[in-house]
Amino acid sequence: MAASVRTPPPPSLSFFSSSIFQIPKLASFSKPNSFNSQFKSLSISCQVATLPILSFTGEKIGETYLDIKSALPETARAVVHRAIITDQQNKRRGTASTLTRGEVRGGGKKPYPQKKTGRARRGSTRSPLRPGGGVIFGPKPRDWSIKINKKEKRLAISTALSSATESMVCVEEFNERFEKPKTKEFIAAMKRWGLDPKDKVMFLMMDVSDNVGLSSRNIGTLSMLTPRTLNLFDILNSDKLVLTPDAVDYLNGRYGVDVEISEDDDEEEGDFEQEGQDGGEVPIAQQAQFLGIFV
């Protein structure tokens, strides 16, 4: 009797089966509790990138170097994925709330007699089975925030920056070039730098003048960031990255290989966006804390 051959079902696309997130297997260790010093020294890699410096007119006037940390290819996707999920999830307010049948107003009177009506038994008009009733297993206020290590978050940002060096350009300081707000002049400058206004472009500058901010705010595909507003989402969501020489020096000084994170350095990129940036009100407990009232 011939054995029947069973064809396996087609694989479904998921986080673990997708080729985008596949991670090559590492060599097995002889002892489960031992750690090879060879892998420890290769935990973080770095690759120096050369960036051309363009003038305001679009001419090349020099070169600069971007030398920052970068995770290994085997762990880069996992580090960046964890950091972006953490940033997106920590922005959730968690204020969605529904009423259960015990919280809905009314329903104290029995709608109709228990027997001799031919209908189903009803004890309340606020039952979840009837319109206007409570909600079964509905959302309640909760805290969605999750924690990520400071070094892991910085490594994710530096890894994303190092992976975008091919689409990165450095331009000289142009704050003083705009004597008055003019979007038309800003678009012309972008074209001289080889940038398409229709593409998603991220500018990283140490300081944004009022005229530059007003000239660029009407361009919907442009993000004008400073070191305080630098975040992982805008880096990954951009097609082109434009830096100034001072911004390159800042990145080398903050995400360089020899940079150590001190305990007093609590300021993180994009943290200010977590409070009051989504148009909502500040929680009452937080307002009381600001006023010095202990609740």
Side-chain angles (χ1 to χ4, degrees):
M1 181 177 179
S4 60
V5 179
R6 183 179 180 183
T7 59
S12 59
L13 182 62
S14 63
F15 178 83
F16 298 99
S17 63
S18 175
S19 60
I20 300 176
F21 300 100
Q22 284 183 359
I23 302 175
K25 297 182 179 180
L26 299 177
S28 59
F29 301 101
S30 57
K31 296 181 181 180
N33 296 330
S34 63
F35 194 86
N36 196 343
S37 60
Q38 179 182 359
F39 290 90
K40 183 183 296 185
S41 61
L42 297 177
S43 59
I44 295 177
S45 63
C46 181
Q47 184 176 2
V48 181
T50 304
L51 302 179
I53 301 178
L54 304 180
S55 63
F56 187 74
T57 58
E59 300 176 356
K60 183 178 179 180
I61 59 177
E63 292 182 349
T64 185
Y65 300 95
L66 185 65
D67 188 8
I68 58 178
K69 295 179 182 179
S70 177
L72 283 177
E74 294 83 2
T75 59
R77 292 182 182 273
V79 171
V80 175
H81 179 267
R82 172 175 163 78
I84 191 65
I85 291 299
T86 302
D87 290 344
Q88 295 296 310
Q89 187 166 336
N90 288 346
K91 291 181 180 180
R92 300 189 64 173
R93 292 181 59 87
T95 56
S97 180
T98 55
L99 300 180
T100 62
R101 64 176 299 167
E103 298 171 342
V104 178
R105 185 177 180 180
K109 180 182 178 182
K110 192 173 179 64
Y112 47 83
Q114 179 86 351
K115 298 180 178 296
K116 299 182 180 180
T117 60
R119 304 174 64 182
R121 297 174 291 182
R122 297 292 183 187
S124 173
T125 58
R126 294 299 178 254
S127 170
L129 305 180
R130 295 181 60 89
V135 179
I136 305 176
F137 302 125
K140 284 294 183 181
R142 56 172 297 184
D143 184 14
W144 288 93
S145 62
I146 55 179
K147 180 185 177 297
I148 185 173
N149 295 331
K150 185 184 300 183
K151 293 183 179 180
E152 188 177 3
K153 182 178 180 180
R154 288 196 180 186
L155 182 60
I157 294 178
S158 61
T159 302
L161 288 172
S162 62
S163 64
T165 53
E166 296 181 358
S167 58
M168 191 179 297
V169 65
C170 182
V171 298
E172 64 176 357
E173 296 289 344
F174 54 90
N175 281 326
E176 299 179 356
R177 299 282 185 164
F178 290 87
E179 299 179 356
K180 60 180 180 179
K182 195 70 173 179
T183 305
K184 190 174 183 179
E185 296 180 359
F186 195 90
I187 294 178
M190 292 179 60
K191 292 181 179 179
R192 291 194 298 267
W193 296 331
L195 305 175
D196 189 359
K198 296 182 181 179
D199 294 338
K200 296 180 181 179
V201 183
M202 189 198 78
F203 281 78
L204 179 60
M205 305 174 60
M206 297 300 297
D207 186 20
V208 180
S209 62
D210 295 338
N211 293 333
V212 172
L214 294 174
S215 301
S216 61
R217 68 176 182 177
N218 287 335
I219 305 176
T221 57
L222 186 142
S223 299
M224 189 69 65
L225 304 181
T226 60
R228 179 171 173 78
T229 59
L230 180 62
N231 60 89
L232 184 60
F233 179 81
D234 286 337
I235 297 174
L236 299 177
N237 194 37
S238 301
D239 299 326
K240 297 288 185 178
L241 277 74
V242 181
L243 309 177
T244 59
D246 293 340
V248 174
D249 296 338
Y250 167 80
L251 295 178
N252 291 331
R254 187 174 181 86
Y255 303 103
V257 180
D258 299 331
V259 176
E260 295 293 339
I261 302 177
S262 60
E263 297 179 357
D264 298 334
D265 191 6
D266 295 334
E267 182 181 354
E268 286 293 334
E269 295 80 356
D271 288 346
F272 82 105
E273 297 180 355
Q274 304 296 334
E275 301 178 1
Q277 292 295 323
D278 51 357
E281 298 181 356
V282 181
I284 298 177
Q286 190 174 357
Q287 294 179 9
Q289 184 179 2
F290 292 157
L291 298 176
I293 304 173
F294 297 95
V295 295

